[in-house]
Amino acid sequence: MDSNGSSLNRSQSLASGLEKTSVTWNKRALSQSSSTLSSRHSRQMIKDWEVIDDLLVEMRASENPQEMTPPGICEGYLLKRRKWPLKGWHKRYFVLDGGTLRYSKNQQDVSKGRIQGSLDVSLAVMTVNKKANRIDLDTGDILYHMKAKSPDLFYIWVTKLQAHRFFKKNETAHAHSRGGTRQAQTNGDLGTTELGDSAGASQALPSTNTAVNTKVSAWLQQSHHPDTCAQELNRCNLDLSELNRLIQRLQNLEVGQTFTNGELQRIISIQLSSSHLSGSSHLGASVPNIPDYVSSQLSPPSVLSPESKKIQQDICAISNRVLASLKSVHESLSLERQKLQESWQTSNEHRSNTLAVPAPSHGPPSVADSAAEYFDASDDIVWGSSSEVSDESGLSDGSTTNSEPEEGHASATRKYRASISRAPNSLVPKSTGRRTTLPAHCPDNSHVGLMTILYNNIGKDLARVSMPAALNEPVNLLQRLCEELEYSELLDTACNTPDPFQRMVYIAAFAISGYSTATFRNRYKPFNPVLGETYECIREDRGFQFISEQVCHHPPISACHAQSENFTFWQDQRWKNKFWGKSLEIVPTGKVNVTLPKYGDHYEWNKVVTCIHNVLSQQRYLEHYGEVTIQNLKNSICSCKITFVKSRYWGSDTNKNEVQGTVLDQSGNVIHRFGGLWHEGIFCDTLPTPKCVWKPNPQPKDYLIYYGFSTFAMELNELTPDLKPLLPPTDTRLRPDQRMLEEGKVADADKMKDDIEEKQRERRKELSKKGEEHVPRFFKKAKDSSGQDVWLTNSTYWELRKNPGFANLDNVYLW
């Protein structure tokens, strides 16, 4: 085997019979462009990426998979993009067998069963870049970025991946088509067969995973009546077949017969002839409304027959049996899943304990290698070029160091979480007189064809794609920036903390708290601001005033500034959107700035990647991952590193959203450690008095039917009579489509949203004809300490608001 991965072990001979013409290249491109790239570069990247469709699978879906030759095993070295810190590539050994792609550090680990990750290629959206020899696989939960070192190697892997996808999908389709008959024939033996399969799978587990095997075996032994679920599902299958038969019989009884279009035309023509409808003089007297006449002839009788009533009773009885069976299956599977999770977690704890003593270089993998699929090892790193990293890595500019969590981070998170749960809940803010609910509930958007929208816009910047109003929530991206100040009391606490290292802990907690707003907000997206749109927020109860403005449209840039006696907060936020087929990555590229005038501190940090998994289904979920580095630009006495841990494939739901952080001195020594979960709280055990430094406020009543909004979020778009005359006409609260959606008028909001976007395009055309560019009203462009463009306030908003007032000025009307 070539250690450099220049050749495959067996795939050259296995793939020799496949011709290059068998590869179906789809000319649609995956959205690899980012909003901050030049249009020429974006078009080039779009042209290079291609989505591999399964047209061949659909054309040959009727073939018998038993007559198809299973594709051979393909294995060898490829480069896989590092997930920590999302930069560069490392060499990994991949094995493609039976439609499953597995990888590990090297061939020896694979042969010993030390697998770092696996993926079912038949469930993945596959995109390729022939120029860069890139292959991307996205299943919604798992996202692999791979690269071959040569075009020949790239062709072999693409060909084999297509072959395995084709075979696995056909096999699955035929298995589903035979499922009902097979279940009915094996009603009494299915449970025993599944138990035997489970036992066989248990025996086939690698010998190196002895701890896992022992726990899984114990779990299987503790499972009483393992065939119960299979028997219940068999009963459900038979009952559903009976339900289908009864429903068809009921329809036949009530409707009588089914009419085709040709039969309907024949009936209508007969009625027209018999009723002398051809004459105009008889038309009004005979049948005044032909559709109503046909409907009356085909409508079922209003009174049900005794047989129909009996069938309806049978349907209800069988439906109750199906419901009871499914409840039983759900309870059994929930119990077994809990046992399996406990066994796996116990195994991980055992591994963590055994790795407490430094292991030799050729010993077992670390916790980062064994327990977490994405915690890639640090050896065999192949760094990409600077241009490639900046364009494709999905990493904000501030993260330049390895953010791989330290060993034992999982047990540390459990310890922090236990401490957070024992800490008292945050005090509920006193009533401010603001609203506590929205005017209307959130609409159901399950009917919106999101898949059609996204796939019709593959290759485009999603920031330029107009989405239906039903996918939005009644807040704006400008208001989302203000939402990051929900826990501004952390900055007030930092301002009153004289120790610089402890002060950094509170700054870090504030940086983490800004992500908690996304906990219950994965079904809807904020409105995109139009160019020149503004938003103000004055909170006397919190002691700050906030202003934000959309300063640029392409790329979209939102700038904001908040002022308080204790702190100053500002940022200009930019986003790159990357749609991988089933997952959507949102990569912010701006910096957040906070100053504490009392100490002369100026803190600056980047933001991490936000990924929405299963974006095309209603089971979508959101996570943040990457590394945040906080620096004090005025004083280098300390710095902070925060790691948002990528969720592990084998981890339970309770281990998601992990975050770990350290405060370091100038020499790199750890002064404080803290951690927890970004949606539950942060605990620091190195303070003089260990405590929970931040915990999110409890959600309001019925928050799920109000877009998952927190109390603070519900107050953002409130418009009171005394406030309305003081706002400029560009304020978000005066935007009609957003207001209509908040009031539950979804159709009107959709139409108004299109009108507002069309007016924005007309204004842009007018400026282009004049050779002018839009000039932001309340922000100006400047350079930061590193020479990057930033948008800072021009300090005119609050003066103009006070004197002479926006009502007395010439304003731009955006809607």
Side-chain angles (χ1 to χ4, degrees):
M1 176 61 62
D2 186 357
S3 61
N4 293 325
S6 59
S7 62
L8 293 172
N9 188 18
R10 289 180 285 167
S11 55
Q12 294 282 7
S13 59
L14 293 172
S16 60
L18 296 174
E19 300 294 337
K20 291 186 178 181
T21 55
S22 66
V23 180
T24 306
W25 299 103
N26 189 341
K27 295 305 178 184
R28 293 181 300 169
L30 181 66
S31 177
Q32 290 288 329
S33 63
S34 71
S35 58
T36 57
L37 298 177
S38 66
S39 58
R40 181 177 181 182
H41 192 181
S42 300
R43 289 195 298 268
Q44 182 64 38
M45 293 178 64
I46 294 169
K47 187 189 302 182
D48 295 341
W49 282 94
E50 301 172 2
V51 180
I52 302 300
D53 276 347
D54 296 316
L55 300 179
L56 190 62
V57 176
E58 296 176 1
M59 293 171 57
R60 300 177 56 187
S62 60
E63 296 185 5
N64 188 349
Q66 295 180 354
E67 300 176 357
M68 298 174 55
T69 303
I73 299 175
C74 184
E75 56 184 317
Y77 283 97
L78 291 173
L79 301 180
K80 178 178 177 294
R81 181 174 293 285
R82 291 173 54 82
K83 282 295 180 181
W84 301 102
L86 304 176
K87 270 192 176 183
W89 302 79
H90 58 190
K91 186 173 67 178
R92 288 294 177 261
Y93 194 82
F94 285 84
V95 176
L96 178 61
D97 184 14
T100 301
L101 182 67
R102 302 178 178 87
Y103 81 92
S104 190
K105 277 187 179 182
N106 48 55
Q107 185 179 9
Q108 291 75 21
D109 285 350
V110 172
S111 62
K112 294 178 181 179
R114 297 174 182 172
I115 303 298
Q116 286 185 292
S118 63
L119 177 147
D120 187 345
V121 297
S122 67
L123 303 177
V125 174
M126 180 177 172
T127 54
V128 299
N129 186 330
K130 291 184 286 186
K131 181 176 292 186
N133 297 330
R134 286 278 307 276
I135 304 172
D136 286 356
L137 298 172
D138 183 6
T139 66
D141 293 326
I142 309 173
L143 182 59
Y144 283 176
H145 305 291
M146 304 178 295
K147 180 194 292 186
K149 283 194 171 183
S150 66
D152 292 340
L153 196 63
F154 167 78
Y155 162 72
I156 292 173
W157 274 101
V158 171
T159 304
K160 297 299 289 186
L161 282 168
Q162 280 193 289
H164 279 261
R165 281 160 55 87
F166 169 60
F167 182 81
K168 186 72 176 290
K169 287 193 174 185
N170 273 275
E171 189 178 46
T172 303
H174 281 270
H176 281 299
S177 65
R178 299 193 307 265
T181 305
R182 180 178 299 174
Q183 280 187 335
Q185 293 175 349
T186 60
N187 187 21
D189 301 331
L190 183 58
T192 306
T193 303
E194 289 187 354
L195 178 61
D197 293 341
S198 299
S202 176
Q203 293 173 1
L205 290 173
S207 59
T208 54
N209 296 333
T210 306
V212 178
N213 294 350
T214 303
K215 291 298 181 182
V216 174
S217 299
W219 163 58
L220 290 174
Q221 293 173 2
Q222 294 172 2
S223 301
H224 300 290
H225 305 290
D227 58 345
T228 301
C229 288
Q231 293 175 358
E232 292 290 349
L233 289 174
N234 285 334
R235 293 192 190 99
C236 285
N237 181 62
L238 296 176
D239 287 340
L240 290 173
S241 300
E242 179 65 15
L243 275 176
N244 183 53
R245 186 187 68 80
L246 291 175
I247 292 173
Q248 290 179 352
R249 184 179 174 189
L250 182 63
Q251 290 176 342
N252 292 334
L253 283 174
E254 300 305 325
V255 177
Q257 62 180 2
T258 303
F259 295 95
T260 63
N261 291 336
E263 291 172 336
L264 283 176
Q265 292 177 359
R266 181 176 57 83
I267 293 173
I268 293 173
S269 62
I270 293 174
Q271 294 296 330
L272 289 174
S273 301
S274 62
S275 302
H276 308 286
L277 294 179
S278 56
S280 59
S281 60
H282 301 284
L283 183 60
S286 300
V287 182
N289 192 316
I290 292 178
D292 290 345
Y293 173 80
V294 175
S295 176
S296 65
Q297 296 297 312
L298 300 180
S299 61
S302 58
V303 181
L304 296 177
S305 63
E307 186 177 2
S308 298
K309 292 181 180 179
K310 179 63 169 60
I311 293 176
Q312 287 186 352
Q313 294 174 357
D314 293 341
I315 289 176
C316 292
I318 295 176
S319 298
N320 289 331
R321 289 207 305 267
V322 171
L323 179 60
S325 297
L326 291 177
K327 283 184 177 180
S328 175
V329 170
H330 179 267
E331 292 174 358
S332 300
L333 292 179
S334 298
L335 181 62
E336 301 307 317
R337 181 176 181 272
Q338 182 179 359
K339 293 178 181 178
L340 182 58
Q341 287 179 349
E342 292 174 355
S343 300
W344 183 261
Q345 291 174 3
T346 305
S347 173
N348 286 344
E349 291 177 0
H350 174 74
R351 294 184 183 185
S352 300
N353 294 334
T354 57
L355 290 170
V357 179
S361 58
H362 299 287
S366 65
V367 173
D369 293 327
S370 60
E373 175 188 358
Y374 291 111
F375 297 168
D376 301 327
S378 58
D379 57 344
D380 300 329
I381 299 175
V382 182
W383 295 98
S385 63
S386 59
S387 60
E388 183 179 21
V389 169
S390 61
D391 292 343
E392 301 179 0
S393 65
L395 179 70
S396 56
D397 300 335
S399 299
T400 57
T401 59
N402 196 337
S403 61
E404 183 176 339
E406 298 179 358
E407 295 181 1
H409 75 94
S411 60
T413 298
R414 285 193 293 271
K415 179 187 68 175
Y416 288 134
R417 190 179 189 190
S419 301
I420 293 170
S421 63
R422 291 192 296 267
N425 290 327
S426 300
L427 296 177
V428 179
K430 296 180 180 180
S431 176
T432 59
R434 299 173 182 264
R435 67 183 184 184
T436 57
T437 60
L438 299 180
H441 297 170
C442 55
D444 179 20
N445 59 10
S446 58
H447 64 283
V448 179
L450 185 59
M451 178 183 294
T452 303
I453 296 172
L454 292 177
Y455 275 93
N456 285 342
N457 291 281
I458 283 181
K460 297 181 180 179
D461 179 6
L462 294 183
R464 298 170 180 254
V465 178
S466 179
M467 297 289 184
L471 293 176
N472 288 4
E473 59 185 12
V475 296
N476 196 288
L477 282 172
L478 300 176
Q479 294 167 312
R480 274 287 189 99
L481 294 178
C482 182
E483 202 171 351
E484 295 183 22
L485 290 169
E486 179 173 359
Y487 301 97
S488 59
E489 63 268 16
L490 290 168
L491 298 180
D492 296 330
T493 303
C495 184
N496 296 319
T497 303
D499 183 87
F501 299 100
Q502 297 182 28
R503 194 158 60 240
M504 181 65 82
V505 172
Y506 289 102
I507 295 294
F510 173 77
I512 296 171
S513 69
Y515 294 94
S516 64
T517 59
T519 307
F520 308 101
R521 310 270 284 277
N522 55 11
R523 291 179 55 201
Y524 303 90
K525 59 173 285 295
F527 274 83
N528 291 328
V530 297
L531 187 61
E533 189 169 345
T534 62
Y535 175 73
E536 74 161 51
C537 182
I538 302 176
R539 296 302 298 257
E540 295 87 352
D541 56 324
R542 299 171 182 266
F544 71 79
Q545 54 186 18
F546 172 93
I547 173 63
S548 57
E549 181 181 4
Q550 188 73 4
V551 297
C552 186
H553 187 60
H554 292 308
I557 303 177
S558 305
C560 70
H561 183 91
Q563 189 74 37
S564 168
E565 291 184 0
N566 296 327
F567 65 85
T568 302
F569 167 90
W570 75 91
Q571 63 174 315
D572 58 273
Q573 197 60 68
R574 315 162 192 216
W575 292 270
K576 296 179 182 178
N577 298 314
K578 295 188 177 182
F579 177 53
W580 299 107
K582 290 188 178 181
S583 304
L584 176 64
E585 280 188 327
I586 304 171
V587 187
T589 59
K591 296 289 187 69
V592 183
N593 295 266
V594 168
T595 60
L596 301 180
K598 184 176 181 179
Y599 303 104
D601 293 336
H602 180 178
Y603 300 97
E604 182 185 74
W605 64 87
N606 60 284
K607 289 188 172 182
V608 296
V609 177
T610 297
C611 184
I612 305 175
H613 296 279
N614 298 322
V615 69
L616 300 178
S617 73
Q618 290 296 310
Q619 287 73 39
R620 67 180 70 99
Y621 67 95
L622 180 147
E623 69 170 329
H624 310 291
Y625 49 79
E627 181 181 290
V628 174
T629 301
I630 305 178
Q631 294 179 332
N632 188 345
L633 302 182
K634 298 296 184 180
N635 192 335
S636 60
I637 189 174
C638 64
S639 61
C640 180
K641 184 177 78 170
I642 308 171
T643 300
F644 286 75
V645 181
K646 184 76 169 64
S647 62
R648 298 179 297 279
Y649 181 70
W650 283 104
S652 64
D653 293 340
T654 59
N655 291 330
K656 289 183 178 179
N657 306 339
E658 297 178 47
V659 59
Q660 299 282 331
T662 54
V663 176
L664 311 173
D665 63 11
Q666 288 178 300
S667 302
N669 300 318
V670 176
I671 305 300
H672 291 298
R673 293 181 184 272
F674 56 88
L677 290 86
W678 54 258
H679 71 293
E680 287 190 359
I682 299 299
F683 190 89
C684 182
D685 55 2
T686 55
L687 294 173
T689 302
K691 62 178 179 178
C692 177
V693 295
W694 167 76
K695 199 172 186 179
N697 296 323
Q699 288 290 101
K701 183 181 178 181
D702 297 331
Y703 64 93
L704 289 178
I705 63 175
Y706 294 118
Y707 301 91
F709 281 2
S710 65
T711 301
F712 187 81
M714 288 188 182
E715 300 169 350
L716 291 174
N717 203 49
E718 183 179 12
L719 183 60
T720 57
D722 59 332
L723 178 63
K724 186 175 181 179
L726 303 176
L727 297 176
T730 55
D731 193 276
T732 294
R733 276 165 292 204
L734 302 175
R735 181 169 172 167
D737 55 346
Q738 186 170 316
R739 184 65 60 186
M740 290 175 180
L741 178 63
E742 184 180 89
E743 295 171 352
K745 305 173 183 177
V746 182
D748 295 339
D750 220 353
K751 183 177 181 302
M752 181 58 66
K753 180 173 177 289
D754 292 338
D755 293 342
I756 292 175
E757 292 171 351
E758 180 60 30
K759 289 180 180 179
Q760 179 178 226
R761 286 188 285 269
E762 292 175 359
R763 288 192 302 272
R764 189 165 61 249
K765 290 179 182 178
E766 291 296 327
L767 287 176
S768 178
K769 289 180 181 178
K770 298 177 182 178
E772 300 175 357
E773 294 183 355
H774 173 78
V775 178
R777 190 175 185 183
F778 306 112
F779 287 83
K780 60 183 179 181
K781 185 182 290 187
K783 297 287 185 180
D784 63 6
S785 58
S786 59
Q788 300 293 325
D789 290 337
V790 294
W791 289 91
L792 304 177
T793 179
N794 59 15
S795 304
T796 61
Y797 182 89
W798 300 110
E799 293 296 330
L800 293 175
R801 186 183 190 272
K802 182 178 180 180
N803 185 22
F806 293 111
N808 301 318
L809 295 173
D810 293 332
N811 299 293
V812 177
Y813 292 89
L814 305 179
W815 35 76

